[in-house]
């Protein structure tokens, strides 16, 4: 129960003024520019774009600055801003086979057309703090090699040729949109993928990890992970044809999962899919594993009662803005609610006390 | 007609992908601007970006991107459409103006002063990334294998 109370305005104004001062920090230290956050905290920017579900690096960087680096607060700011924008339409589905890959690796095939391209990865770093970064200094340019343009086909295509992996046939059913219709269950795969693409990275990672530890184990390999730029096309009604409206960086993960076959499907490899705004391979791999676990029903697998198989459990708790909104609201005044609880506990204690005294007397 | 459409698609895409501020800066330097009438004043909005399950399957909504669009008309009647990524009204207007100018007598001048530099900048940017990626390609070699 909520009751309007007055009297906090001055305290609130002053709290916000202090927040602004704390955000600025020590004035002896130079103030961060939004462009510095965009360029040098780029993976934080990517996470805010992915979970904020709006691709705009400048806005995400601004949100991070405003939120003092609290990424969930920054996601909240982006989600709120997003609702103010008129929607011009939906793009054609992006063609990830046509990606300009910064990184492309496969854990299932060593030699593959297009090669294993490591890209700007933390893998194989020693995870030792680099104190040189605490000092000023320019970074030498990274080595480059003349790159003959070479197609980089999807790895699952090779397995498809032998019929050893389930196919993902093209289909043009317009997808449901959870930003327009409230999330309802059962949720089809398109809706699940939308929810997972904007889901909290930590939650998605935890759910994916649970499948690896044995809760609905699905034996995932990273068939392919690719990060790079794709162009986005949209049909423009006034023109009568589609044009490119921009270029975005995305991370895509295709998991290849062992599958013994079921009543409806032959033994073959099955697939999980992850696609995320920005460079975010932890999230993309997690998404692919969770997507695969949630597909148990359509593949005719048993529901072993694992959390990662429970669509409602996963999707209803994956959104960090919904979650934090509900979680944090309990810190706001609940004086009247609590007053009635207090009355109830006092009453129960009086009754318990009375019966104790009665028992003692008997 | 087809090739006109293909050409227009190309330049509209190039304009959409240009770095913020570039189209307006090139246009200003070229002194090609003309008086215009807005049919749709620059407007910031979003486009829902879609992907496909498994890369090739059924479409799903991945998330939105910010886009700014503008439609204007030149005194001669040419209508230009601009759609640019991001939230720059100036760029959307400049893109629409370039699109309109490309349909008239100034097309070659606009191509040389605006489209060619944008294309060169984008190509250089893409090649620089591709060359860095290529330098991180793993060259496997077998060390020793077998028992002896």
């Amino acid at each position: 129960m909520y009751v309007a109370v007055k009297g906090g305005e001055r305290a609130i104004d002053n709290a916000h003024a202090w927040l602004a001062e704390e955000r600025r920090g020590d004035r002896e230290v130079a103030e961060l520019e939004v462009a510095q956050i965009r360029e040098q905290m780029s993976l934080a920017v990517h996470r805010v774009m992915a979970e904020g579900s709006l691709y705009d690096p400048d806005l995400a960087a601004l949100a991070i600055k405003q939120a003092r680096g609290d990424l969930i607060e920054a996601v909240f700011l982006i989600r709120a801003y997003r609702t103010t924008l008129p929607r011009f339409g939906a793009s054609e589905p992006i063609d990830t086979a046509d990606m300009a890959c910064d990184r492309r690796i496969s854990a299932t095939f060593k030699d593959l057309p297009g090669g294993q391209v490591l890209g700007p990865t933390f893998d194989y770093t020693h995870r030792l703090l680099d104190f040189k970064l605490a000092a000023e200094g320019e970074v030498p340019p990274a080595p480059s090699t003349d790159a003959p343009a070479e197609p980089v086909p999807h790895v699952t295509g090779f397995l498809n040729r032998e019929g050893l992996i389930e196919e993902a046939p093209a289909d043009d059913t317009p997808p449901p949109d959870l930003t327009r219709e409230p999330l309802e269950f059962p949720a089809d795969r398109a809706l699940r993928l939308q929810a997972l693409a904007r889901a909290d990275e930590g939650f998605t990672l935890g759910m994916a990890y649970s499948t690896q530890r044995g809760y609905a184990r699905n034996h995932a390999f990273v068939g392919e992970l690719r990060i790079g730029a794709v162009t986005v096309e949209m049909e423009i009604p006034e023109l009568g044809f589609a044009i490119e409206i921009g270029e975005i960086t995305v991370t895509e993960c295709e998991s290849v999962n062992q599958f013994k076959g079921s009543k409806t499907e032959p033994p073959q490899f099955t697939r999980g899919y992850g696609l995320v705004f920005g460079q975010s391979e932890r999230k993309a791999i997690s998404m692919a594993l969770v997507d695969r676990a949630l597909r148990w029903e359509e593949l005719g697998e048993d529901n072993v009662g694992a959390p990662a198989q429970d669509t409602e459990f996963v999707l209803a708790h994956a959104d960090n803005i919904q979650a934090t909104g509900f979680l944090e609201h309990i810190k706001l005044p609940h004086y009247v609610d609590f007053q009635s609880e207090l009355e109830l506990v006092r009453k129960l204690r009086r009754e318990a006390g009375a019966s104790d005294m009665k028992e003692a007397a008997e | 007609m087809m090739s006109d459409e293909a050409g227009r698609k190309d330049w509209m895409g190039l304009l959409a992908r240009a770095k913020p501020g570039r189209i307006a800066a090139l246009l200003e330097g070229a002194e090609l601007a003309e008086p215009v009438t807005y049919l749709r004043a620059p407007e910031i909005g979003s486009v829902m970006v879609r992907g496909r399950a498994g890369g090739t399957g059924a479409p799903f909504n991945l998330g939105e991107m910010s886009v700014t669009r503008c439609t204007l008309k030149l005194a001669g009647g040419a209508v230009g459409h601009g759609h640019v990524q991001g939230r720059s009204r100036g760029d959307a207007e400049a893109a629409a103006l370039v699109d309109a100018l490309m349909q008239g007598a100034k097309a070659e001048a606009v191509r040389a002063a605006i489209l060619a530099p944008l294309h060169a900048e984008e190509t250089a940017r893409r090649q620089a990334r591709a060359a860095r990626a290529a330098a991180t390609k793993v060259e496997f070699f077998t060390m020793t294998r077998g028992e002896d």
Side-chain angles (χ1 to χ4, degrees), chain A residues 53 55-56 82 86-89 91 94 102 116 118-119 145 150 168 170-172 176 194 238 242 244 247 271 273, chain B residues 9 16-17 40 44-46 48 50 52 54 56-57 59 61 64 66 85 87 126 129 131 133 135-138 140:
Chain A
S53 205
Y55 196 101
D56 188 317
R82 188 204 68 80
R87 174 87 60 89
F88 294 161
S91 79
I94 55 173
D102 286 350
Q116 305 262 2
L118 300 182
T145 308
E150 179 180 21
D171 167 339
D172 284 311
Q194 181 182 15
E238 302 92 304
E244 289 178 2
E247 185 175 71
R271 302 160 66 161
Y273 190 66
Chain B
K9 258 176 91 113
R17 298 187 305 268
R40 178 160 58 205
I44 299 172
S46 78
M48 177 56 89
R50 288 182 176 160
R52 287 188 183 278
T56 54
N61 291 308
E64 288 162 90
S66 54
Q85 182 171 6
R87 288 166 294 108
R126 287 177 168 177
R129 286 198 86 81
T136 68
K137 191 181 222 171
V138 180
F140 285 106

Short mmCIF file of all heavy atoms in Angstrom, two decimals, chain A residues 53 55-56 82 86-89 91 94 102 116 118-119 145 150 168 170-172 176 194 238 242 244 247 271 273, chain B residues 9 16-17 40 44-46 48 50 52 54 56-57 59 61 64 66 85 87 126 129 131 133 135-138 140:
data_model
loop_
_atom_site.label_atom_id
_atom_site.label_comp_id
_atom_site.label_asym_id
_atom_site.label_seq_id
_atom_site.Cartn_x
_atom_site.Cartn_y
_atom_site.Cartn_z
N SER A 53 18.90 -2.51 -25.03
CA SER A 53 18.19 -2.85 -26.26
C SER A 53 18.07 -1.65 -27.21
O SER A 53 17.06 -1.45 -27.85
CB SER A 53 16.80 -3.42 -25.92
OG SER A 53 16.37 -4.24 -26.97
N TYR A 55 20.86 0.32 -29.90
CA TYR A 55 22.22 0.47 -30.41
C TYR A 55 22.50 1.94 -30.66
O TYR A 55 22.02 2.52 -31.64
CB TYR A 55 22.41 -0.36 -31.70
CG TYR A 55 23.86 -0.56 -32.04
CD1 TYR A 55 24.50 -1.77 -31.76
CD2 TYR A 55 24.62 0.46 -32.60
CE1 TYR A 55 25.83 -1.96 -32.05
CE2 TYR A 55 25.96 0.28 -32.88
CZ TYR A 55 26.56 -0.94 -32.61
OH TYR A 55 27.90 -1.13 -32.89
N ASP A 56 23.24 2.56 -29.76
CA ASP A 56 23.64 3.95 -29.89
C ASP A 56 24.80 4.18 -28.93
O ASP A 56 24.59 4.45 -27.74
CB ASP A 56 22.46 4.90 -29.59
CG ASP A 56 22.79 6.36 -29.91
OD1 ASP A 56 23.91 6.79 -29.58
OD2 ASP A 56 21.94 7.05 -30.49
N ARG A 82 14.59 5.04 -24.71
CA ARG A 82 14.09 4.30 -25.87
C ARG A 82 12.57 4.45 -26.05
O ARG A 82 12.06 4.56 -27.16
CB ARG A 82 14.42 2.82 -25.67
CG ARG A 82 14.16 1.91 -26.84
CD ARG A 82 13.97 0.47 -26.38
NE ARG A 82 12.73 0.31 -25.62
CZ ARG A 82 11.52 0.19 -26.15
NH1 ARG A 82 11.38 0.21 -27.46
NH2 ARG A 82 10.45 0.07 -25.40
N PRO A 86 9.97 7.56 -31.54
CA PRO A 86 9.01 6.94 -32.46
C PRO A 86 9.70 5.80 -33.20
O PRO A 86 10.87 5.90 -33.55
CB PRO A 86 8.64 8.08 -33.42
CG PRO A 86 9.76 9.06 -33.33
CD PRO A 86 10.36 8.92 -31.97
N ARG A 87 8.97 4.73 -33.43
CA ARG A 87 9.53 3.57 -34.15
C ARG A 87 9.27 3.74 -35.64
O ARG A 87 8.12 3.81 -36.07
CB ARG A 87 8.86 2.31 -33.60
CG ARG A 87 9.18 1.01 -34.29
CD ARG A 87 10.41 0.30 -33.77
NE ARG A 87 10.37 -0.07 -32.38
CZ ARG A 87 9.90 -1.24 -31.92
NH1 ARG A 87 9.40 -2.13 -32.75
NH2 ARG A 87 9.93 -1.52 -30.64
N PHE A 88 10.34 3.81 -36.43
CA PHE A 88 10.18 3.99 -37.87
C PHE A 88 9.81 2.68 -38.58
O PHE A 88 9.32 2.70 -39.69
CB PHE A 88 11.46 4.54 -38.51
CG PHE A 88 11.80 5.94 -38.06
CD1 PHE A 88 13.09 6.43 -38.23
CD2 PHE A 88 10.85 6.77 -37.48
CE1 PHE A 88 13.43 7.72 -37.84
CE2 PHE A 88 11.18 8.06 -37.09
CZ PHE A 88 12.47 8.53 -37.26
N GLY A 89 10.14 1.58 -37.95
CA GLY A 89 9.85 0.29 -38.59
C GLY A 89 10.81 -0.76 -38.12
O GLY A 89 11.54 -0.56 -37.14
N SER A 91 13.87 -3.64 -39.35
CA SER A 91 14.85 -3.87 -40.42
C SER A 91 14.59 -5.20 -41.09
O SER A 91 13.84 -6.04 -40.58
CB SER A 91 16.27 -3.86 -39.83
OG SER A 91 16.56 -5.10 -39.20
N ILE A 94 19.31 -9.11 -40.25
CA ILE A 94 20.71 -8.90 -40.61
C ILE A 94 21.31 -10.21 -41.12
O ILE A 94 20.91 -11.29 -40.71
CB ILE A 94 21.55 -8.34 -39.43
CG1 ILE A 94 21.44 -9.23 -38.19
CG2 ILE A 94 21.14 -6.91 -39.11
CD1 ILE A 94 22.37 -8.80 -37.05
N ASP A 102 35.83 -9.20 -37.09
CA ASP A 102 37.02 -8.84 -36.32
C ASP A 102 37.58 -10.11 -35.69
O ASP A 102 38.77 -10.21 -35.41
CB ASP A 102 36.65 -7.90 -35.16
CG ASP A 102 36.33 -6.49 -35.65
OD1 ASP A 102 36.57 -6.19 -36.83
OD2 ASP A 102 35.84 -5.70 -34.82
N GLN A 116 40.72 -19.29 -38.54
CA GLN A 116 40.47 -18.93 -37.14
C GLN A 116 41.10 -17.56 -36.93
O GLN A 116 42.33 -17.42 -37.03
CB GLN A 116 41.16 -19.94 -36.20
CG GLN A 116 40.79 -21.39 -36.43
CD GLN A 116 39.72 -21.89 -35.47
OE1 GLN A 116 39.22 -21.13 -34.64
NE2 GLN A 116 39.36 -23.15 -35.60
N LEU A 118 41.60 -14.51 -34.37
CA LEU A 118 41.47 -14.28 -32.93
C LEU A 118 40.86 -12.91 -32.60
O LEU A 118 40.11 -12.79 -31.63
CB LEU A 118 42.83 -14.41 -32.25
CG LEU A 118 43.50 -15.78 -32.40
CD1 LEU A 118 44.83 -15.80 -31.64
CD2 LEU A 118 42.59 -16.90 -31.90
N GLY A 119 41.22 -11.89 -33.38
CA GLY A 119 40.68 -10.56 -33.08
C GLY A 119 41.20 -10.01 -31.77
O GLY A 119 42.09 -10.59 -31.14
N THR A 145 48.06 -7.10 -41.77
CA THR A 145 48.48 -7.91 -42.90
C THR A 145 47.51 -7.62 -44.03
O THR A 145 46.33 -7.42 -43.77
CB THR A 145 48.33 -9.42 -42.54
OG1 THR A 145 48.98 -9.65 -41.32
CG2 THR A 145 48.91 -10.31 -43.62
N GLU A 150 37.90 -12.62 -48.42
CA GLU A 150 37.63 -14.06 -48.48
C GLU A 150 36.30 -14.29 -47.79
O GLU A 150 36.06 -13.74 -46.73
CB GLU A 150 38.77 -14.74 -47.71
CG GLU A 150 38.69 -16.21 -47.62
CD GLU A 150 39.87 -16.81 -46.84
OE1 GLU A 150 40.55 -16.12 -46.04
OE2 GLU A 150 40.08 -18.00 -47.02
N ALA A 168 18.37 -24.79 -40.06
CA ALA A 168 17.58 -23.64 -39.63
C ALA A 168 17.01 -23.02 -40.90
O ALA A 168 17.55 -22.07 -41.44
CB ALA A 168 18.45 -22.65 -38.87
N ALA A 170 15.03 -20.95 -43.64
CA ALA A 170 14.53 -19.57 -43.65
C ALA A 170 13.01 -19.58 -43.59
O ALA A 170 12.37 -20.52 -44.04
CB ALA A 170 15.00 -18.85 -44.90
N ASP A 171 12.50 -18.53 -43.04
CA ASP A 171 11.08 -18.50 -42.71
C ASP A 171 10.82 -17.01 -42.55
O ASP A 171 11.68 -16.30 -42.03
CB ASP A 171 10.97 -19.28 -41.39
CG ASP A 171 9.64 -19.15 -40.69
OD1 ASP A 171 8.92 -18.18 -40.95
OD2 ASP A 171 9.33 -20.01 -39.84
N ASP A 172 9.70 -16.53 -43.01
CA ASP A 172 9.51 -15.08 -42.87
C ASP A 172 8.32 -14.70 -42.00
O ASP A 172 7.73 -13.64 -42.18
CB ASP A 172 9.53 -14.38 -44.22
CG ASP A 172 10.98 -14.27 -44.72
OD1 ASP A 172 11.84 -13.82 -43.93
OD2 ASP A 172 11.27 -14.68 -45.85
N PRO A 176 7.05 -11.99 -32.93
CA PRO A 176 6.39 -11.22 -31.87
C PRO A 176 7.39 -10.23 -31.27
O PRO A 176 8.60 -10.41 -31.41
CB PRO A 176 6.00 -12.29 -30.85
CG PRO A 176 6.94 -13.42 -31.09
CD PRO A 176 7.31 -13.38 -32.55
N GLN A 194 14.49 -12.85 -28.39
CA GLN A 194 14.44 -11.40 -28.12
C GLN A 194 14.69 -11.13 -26.64
O GLN A 194 15.46 -10.24 -26.28
CB GLN A 194 13.09 -10.82 -28.53
CG GLN A 194 13.02 -9.31 -28.30
CD GLN A 194 11.67 -8.68 -28.65
OE1 GLN A 194 10.68 -9.38 -28.82
NE2 GLN A 194 11.66 -7.37 -28.75
N GLU A 238 8.39 5.03 -48.88
CA GLU A 238 8.36 6.13 -49.85
C GLU A 238 9.21 5.81 -51.07
O GLU A 238 8.99 6.36 -52.15
CB GLU A 238 8.89 7.44 -49.24
CG GLU A 238 8.15 7.92 -48.01
CD GLU A 238 8.77 7.40 -46.71
OE1 GLU A 238 8.89 6.15 -46.56
OE2 GLU A 238 9.09 8.22 -45.85
N ALA A 242 14.60 -1.33 -50.32
CA ALA A 242 15.32 -1.31 -49.04
C ALA A 242 16.65 -0.59 -49.21
O ALA A 242 17.31 -0.72 -50.24
CB ALA A 242 15.55 -2.73 -48.55
N GLU A 244 20.37 0.61 -46.90
CA GLU A 244 21.11 0.41 -45.65
C GLU A 244 20.93 1.66 -44.80
O GLU A 244 21.08 2.79 -45.29
CB GLU A 244 22.58 0.17 -45.95
CG GLU A 244 22.78 -1.19 -46.59
CD GLU A 244 24.21 -1.50 -46.96
OE1 GLU A 244 25.11 -0.66 -46.68
OE2 GLU A 244 24.44 -2.57 -47.55
N GLU A 247 25.33 0.59 -39.75
CA GLU A 247 26.21 -0.56 -39.58
C GLU A 247 26.39 -0.77 -38.09
O GLU A 247 26.67 0.18 -37.36
CB GLU A 247 27.56 -0.27 -40.24
CG GLU A 247 28.51 -1.43 -40.24
CD GLU A 247 29.78 -1.11 -41.02
OE1 GLU A 247 30.59 -0.31 -40.52
OE2 GLU A 247 29.95 -1.66 -42.11
N ARG A 271 21.30 -27.29 -32.31
CA ARG A 271 21.93 -25.96 -32.28
C ARG A 271 21.29 -25.05 -31.25
O ARG A 271 20.09 -25.07 -31.02
CB ARG A 271 21.77 -25.30 -33.66
CG ARG A 271 22.37 -26.11 -34.74
CD ARG A 271 21.82 -25.74 -36.10
NE ARG A 271 22.17 -24.39 -36.50
CZ ARG A 271 22.13 -23.97 -37.75
NH1 ARG A 271 21.76 -24.79 -38.72
NH2 ARG A 271 22.45 -22.74 -38.04
N TYR A 273 21.47 -20.73 -30.28
CA TYR A 273 21.87 -19.51 -30.99
C TYR A 273 21.96 -18.32 -30.05
O TYR A 273 21.06 -18.09 -29.23
CB TYR A 273 20.84 -19.21 -32.09
CG TYR A 273 21.28 -18.12 -33.02
CD1 TYR A 273 22.39 -18.30 -33.84
CD2 TYR A 273 20.60 -16.90 -33.07
CE1 TYR A 273 22.80 -17.29 -34.70
CE2 TYR A 273 21.00 -15.90 -33.94
CZ TYR A 273 22.11 -16.10 -34.75
OH TYR A 273 22.52 -15.11 -35.61
N LYS B 9 20.46 3.30 -54.01
CA LYS B 9 20.63 2.46 -52.82
C LYS B 9 22.05 2.60 -52.27
O LYS B 9 22.25 2.71 -51.07
CB LYS B 9 20.44 0.98 -53.21
CG LYS B 9 19.11 0.40 -52.85
CD LYS B 9 19.01 -1.03 -53.37
CE LYS B 9 19.51 -2.01 -52.33
NZ LYS B 9 18.44 -2.87 -51.82
N ALA B 16 24.07 6.88 -44.91
CA ALA B 16 23.55 6.39 -43.62
C ALA B 16 24.68 5.98 -42.68
O ALA B 16 24.60 6.15 -41.48
CB ALA B 16 22.61 5.22 -43.84
N ARG B 17 25.74 5.41 -43.26
CA ARG B 17 26.82 4.85 -42.45
C ARG B 17 27.92 5.86 -42.13
O ARG B 17 28.84 5.56 -41.38
CB ARG B 17 27.45 3.65 -43.18
CG ARG B 17 26.50 2.50 -43.43
CD ARG B 17 27.26 1.29 -44.00
NE ARG B 17 28.02 1.62 -45.20
CZ ARG B 17 27.57 1.51 -46.44
NH1 ARG B 17 26.35 1.07 -46.67
NH2 ARG B 17 28.33 1.82 -47.47
N ARG B 40 9.44 16.46 -44.60
CA ARG B 40 9.45 15.90 -43.25
C ARG B 40 10.71 16.44 -42.57
O ARG B 40 11.83 16.10 -42.96
CB ARG B 40 9.48 14.37 -43.28
CG ARG B 40 9.54 13.78 -41.87
CD ARG B 40 9.09 12.33 -41.84
NE ARG B 40 9.91 11.51 -42.72
CZ ARG B 40 9.49 10.37 -43.26
NH1 ARG B 40 8.28 9.92 -43.04
NH2 ARG B 40 10.28 9.68 -44.04
N ILE B 44 14.15 12.21 -35.11
CA ILE B 44 14.92 11.12 -34.49
C ILE B 44 13.96 10.01 -34.08
O ILE B 44 12.91 10.27 -33.50
CB ILE B 44 15.68 11.62 -33.24
CG1 ILE B 44 16.67 12.73 -33.63
CG2 ILE B 44 16.39 10.48 -32.53
CD1 ILE B 44 17.32 13.41 -32.44
N GLY B 45 14.32 8.79 -34.41
CA GLY B 45 13.48 7.65 -34.04
C GLY B 45 14.31 6.39 -33.92
O GLY B 45 15.54 6.45 -33.83
N SER B 46 13.61 5.27 -33.92
CA SER B 46 14.33 4.00 -33.80
C SER B 46 13.84 3.03 -34.85
O SER B 46 12.75 3.18 -35.40
CB SER B 46 14.11 3.40 -32.42
OG SER B 46 12.85 2.78 -32.34
N MET B 48 13.65 -1.23 -35.26
CA MET B 48 13.87 -2.52 -34.62
C MET B 48 14.73 -3.39 -35.54
O MET B 48 14.35 -3.66 -36.68
CB MET B 48 12.52 -3.21 -34.35
CG MET B 48 12.63 -4.59 -33.75
SD MET B 48 13.59 -4.67 -32.22
CE MET B 48 12.31 -4.38 -30.99
N ARG B 50 16.35 -6.77 -36.71
CA ARG B 50 16.03 -8.20 -36.61
C ARG B 50 17.21 -9.07 -36.95
O ARG B 50 18.07 -8.69 -37.75
CB ARG B 50 14.85 -8.53 -37.53
CG ARG B 50 13.56 -7.96 -37.00
CD ARG B 50 12.36 -8.32 -37.85
NE ARG B 50 11.16 -7.80 -37.19
CZ ARG B 50 10.01 -7.58 -37.79
NH1 ARG B 50 9.88 -7.85 -39.08
NH2 ARG B 50 8.98 -7.11 -37.11
N ARG B 52 18.12 -13.59 -37.36
CA ARG B 52 17.45 -14.85 -37.67
C ARG B 52 17.97 -15.93 -36.75
O ARG B 52 19.20 -16.04 -36.55
CB ARG B 52 17.74 -15.29 -39.11
CG ARG B 52 17.03 -14.47 -40.18
CD ARG B 52 17.25 -15.11 -41.55
NE ARG B 52 16.65 -14.32 -42.60
CZ ARG B 52 15.35 -14.37 -42.92
NH1 ARG B 52 14.52 -15.16 -42.25
NH2 ARG B 52 14.88 -13.63 -43.91
N GLY B 54 19.58 -19.06 -35.52
CA GLY B 54 20.55 -19.91 -36.21
C GLY B 54 21.21 -19.21 -37.39
O GLY B 54 21.87 -19.85 -38.19
N THR B 56 20.09 -18.24 -40.06
CA THR B 56 19.39 -18.41 -41.33
C THR B 56 17.89 -18.70 -41.17
O THR B 56 17.17 -18.77 -42.15
CB THR B 56 19.99 -19.58 -42.14
OG1 THR B 56 19.99 -20.75 -41.30
CG2 THR B 56 21.41 -19.28 -42.59
N GLY B 57 17.43 -18.89 -39.94
CA GLY B 57 16.06 -19.36 -39.70
C GLY B 57 15.04 -18.24 -39.57
O GLY B 57 15.11 -17.21 -40.26
N PRO B 59 12.93 -15.06 -38.31
CA PRO B 59 13.40 -13.78 -37.75
C PRO B 59 12.97 -13.57 -36.31
O PRO B 59 11.94 -14.09 -35.87
CB PRO B 59 12.76 -12.73 -38.66
CG PRO B 59 11.68 -13.40 -39.40
CD PRO B 59 11.94 -14.88 -39.37
N ASN B 61 13.33 -10.28 -33.03
CA ASN B 61 13.70 -8.88 -32.76
C ASN B 61 14.91 -8.84 -31.84
O ASN B 61 14.84 -9.30 -30.70
CB ASN B 61 12.52 -8.16 -32.13
CG ASN B 61 11.39 -7.98 -33.13
OD1 ASN B 61 11.61 -7.46 -34.22
ND2 ASN B 61 10.19 -8.40 -32.77
N GLU B 64 16.70 -2.34 -30.78
CA GLU B 64 16.53 -1.20 -31.67
C GLU B 64 17.84 -0.45 -31.92
O GLU B 64 18.81 -0.64 -31.18
CB GLU B 64 15.49 -0.24 -31.08
CG GLU B 64 14.09 -0.80 -31.16
CD GLU B 64 13.13 -0.10 -30.22
OE1 GLU B 64 12.52 0.89 -30.64
OE2 GLU B 64 12.99 -0.54 -29.07
N SER B 66 19.16 3.69 -33.09
CA SER B 66 18.66 5.04 -33.33
C SER B 66 18.93 5.42 -34.78
O SER B 66 19.97 5.09 -35.34
CB SER B 66 19.31 6.03 -32.36
OG SER B 66 20.71 5.94 -32.45
N GLN B 85 22.23 6.70 -39.42
CA GLN B 85 22.33 6.05 -38.12
C GLN B 85 22.67 7.10 -37.07
O GLN B 85 23.46 8.00 -37.33
CB GLN B 85 23.44 5.00 -38.19
CG GLN B 85 23.61 4.22 -36.90
CD GLN B 85 24.55 3.04 -37.06
OE1 GLN B 85 25.17 2.86 -38.10
NE2 GLN B 85 24.66 2.23 -36.02
N ARG B 87 21.71 10.11 -34.04
CA ARG B 87 20.73 11.12 -33.68
C ARG B 87 21.10 12.51 -34.18
O ARG B 87 20.82 13.50 -33.53
CB ARG B 87 20.57 11.15 -32.15
CG ARG B 87 19.82 9.93 -31.58
CD ARG B 87 19.99 9.84 -30.09
NE ARG B 87 21.39 9.57 -29.78
CZ ARG B 87 22.23 10.43 -29.25
NH1 ARG B 87 21.84 11.61 -28.88
NH2 ARG B 87 23.49 10.10 -29.06
N ARG B 126 37.42 0.28 -43.13
CA ARG B 126 37.15 -1.16 -43.19
C ARG B 126 38.42 -1.95 -43.46
O ARG B 126 38.63 -3.01 -42.87
CB ARG B 126 36.10 -1.44 -44.28
CG ARG B 126 34.71 -0.98 -43.88
CD ARG B 126 33.71 -1.21 -44.98
NE ARG B 126 32.34 -1.04 -44.49
CZ ARG B 126 31.26 -1.13 -45.25
NH1 ARG B 126 31.38 -1.38 -46.54
NH2 ARG B 126 30.06 -0.97 -44.74
N ARG B 129 40.62 -2.35 -40.35
CA ARG B 129 40.15 -3.39 -39.41
C ARG B 129 40.42 -4.78 -39.98
O ARG B 129 40.86 -5.68 -39.28
CB ARG B 129 38.66 -3.25 -39.11
CG ARG B 129 38.32 -2.11 -38.21
CD ARG B 129 36.94 -2.26 -37.59
NE ARG B 129 36.95 -3.06 -36.38
CZ ARG B 129 37.29 -2.60 -35.18
NH1 ARG B 129 37.65 -1.34 -35.02
NH2 ARG B 129 37.28 -3.40 -34.14
N ALA B 131 42.67 -5.71 -42.02
CA ALA B 131 44.10 -6.02 -42.02
C ALA B 131 44.57 -6.40 -40.61
O ALA B 131 45.42 -7.27 -40.45
CB ALA B 131 44.89 -4.83 -42.55
N ALA B 133 42.58 -7.76 -38.34
CA ALA B 133 41.99 -9.09 -38.10
C ALA B 133 42.84 -10.16 -38.80
O ALA B 133 43.15 -11.20 -38.20
CB ALA B 133 40.55 -9.13 -38.60
N ALA B 135 45.92 -10.19 -39.40
CA ALA B 135 47.18 -10.42 -38.68
C ALA B 135 46.97 -11.33 -37.47
O ALA B 135 47.93 -11.85 -36.91
CB ALA B 135 47.78 -9.08 -38.25
N THR B 136 45.72 -11.52 -37.03
CA THR B 136 45.46 -12.40 -35.88
C THR B 136 44.93 -13.76 -36.33
O THR B 136 44.42 -14.52 -35.51
CB THR B 136 44.46 -11.76 -34.89
OG1 THR B 136 43.16 -11.70 -35.49
CG2 THR B 136 44.87 -10.37 -34.48
N LYS B 137 45.05 -14.04 -37.61
CA LYS B 137 44.60 -15.36 -38.11
C LYS B 137 45.63 -16.41 -37.71
O LYS B 137 46.83 -16.21 -37.85
CB LYS B 137 44.48 -15.28 -39.63
CG LYS B 137 43.77 -16.46 -40.24
CD LYS B 137 43.77 -16.26 -41.74
CE LYS B 137 42.46 -16.61 -42.36
NZ LYS B 137 42.40 -16.23 -43.76
N VAL B 138 45.13 -17.52 -37.19
CA VAL B 138 46.04 -18.57 -36.70
C VAL B 138 46.55 -19.39 -37.88
O VAL B 138 45.77 -19.83 -38.71
CB VAL B 138 45.29 -19.50 -35.71
CG1 VAL B 138 46.22 -20.59 -35.20
CG2 VAL B 138 44.71 -18.69 -34.57
N PHE B 140 48.06 -22.73 -38.31
CA PHE B 140 48.37 -23.98 -37.60
C PHE B 140 49.52 -24.70 -38.29
O PHE B 140 49.63 -24.69 -39.50
CB PHE B 140 47.15 -24.92 -37.62
CG PHE B 140 46.07 -24.50 -36.68
CD1 PHE B 140 44.90 -23.94 -37.17
CD2 PHE B 140 46.23 -24.65 -35.31
CE1 PHE B 140 43.90 -23.56 -36.32
CE2 PHE B 140 45.21 -24.27 -34.45
CZ PHE B 140 44.05 -23.72 -34.95
#
